[in-house]
Amino acid sequence: MQSKFDLVIFGATGFTGQLATHYLLSHKVNNDLRIAIAGRDVQKLNALKESCTLKPAVIIADSTDPETIEAMVKQAKVVVSF
């Protein structure tokens, strides 16, 4: 089974998550990577998405809800958590 995303950045709207997101999504070398950002606040995630040069997919996942975490992980080859 092929994963939908190569990389998911979980906790993307926090301080270090934003730094990692902007870094990864502002370099043309990463055009082929399928990247998603994840967290619990859809408004913050969408605002972060709009601030990026390359537009990532958005996944809603909350660390207090195991079902959302499982759904996120099933879509990714790699998940980094900030």
Side-chain angles (χ1 to χ4, degrees), residues 1-38:
M1 183 177 116
Q2 185 175 357
S3 299
K4 186 174 181 179
F5 302 108
D6 296 314
L7 175 68
V8 172
I9 303 168
F10 179 61
T13 60
F15 180 76
T16 54
Q18 286 183 46
L19 292 175
T21 298
H22 282 123
Y23 180 83
L24 287 170
L25 295 171
S26 66
H27 291 80
K28 292 186 183 227
V29 72
N30 295 324
N31 278 344
D32 294 336
L33 284 178
R34 296 166 298 147
I35 299 175
I37 55 175

Side-chain angles (χ1 to χ4, degrees), residues 39-72:
R40 64 179 178 248
D41 189 324
V42 68
Q43 292 174 328
K44 287 182 181 180
L45 289 166
N46 285 329
L48 178 58
K49 174 183 177 175
E50 292 307 313
S51 72
C52 295
T53 304
L54 303 171
K55 304 301 182 205
V58 172
I59 299 172
I60 306 305
D62 187 334
S63 62
T64 64
D65 184 351
E67 290 177 5
T68 63
I69 298 299
E70 184 176 351
M72 173 188 67

Side-chain angles (χ1 to χ4, degrees), residues 66-79:
E67 290 177 5
T68 63
I69 298 299
E70 184 176 351
M72 173 188 67
V73 170
K74 285 183 176 181
Q75 297 182 66
K77 288 182 182 178
V78 175
V79 175

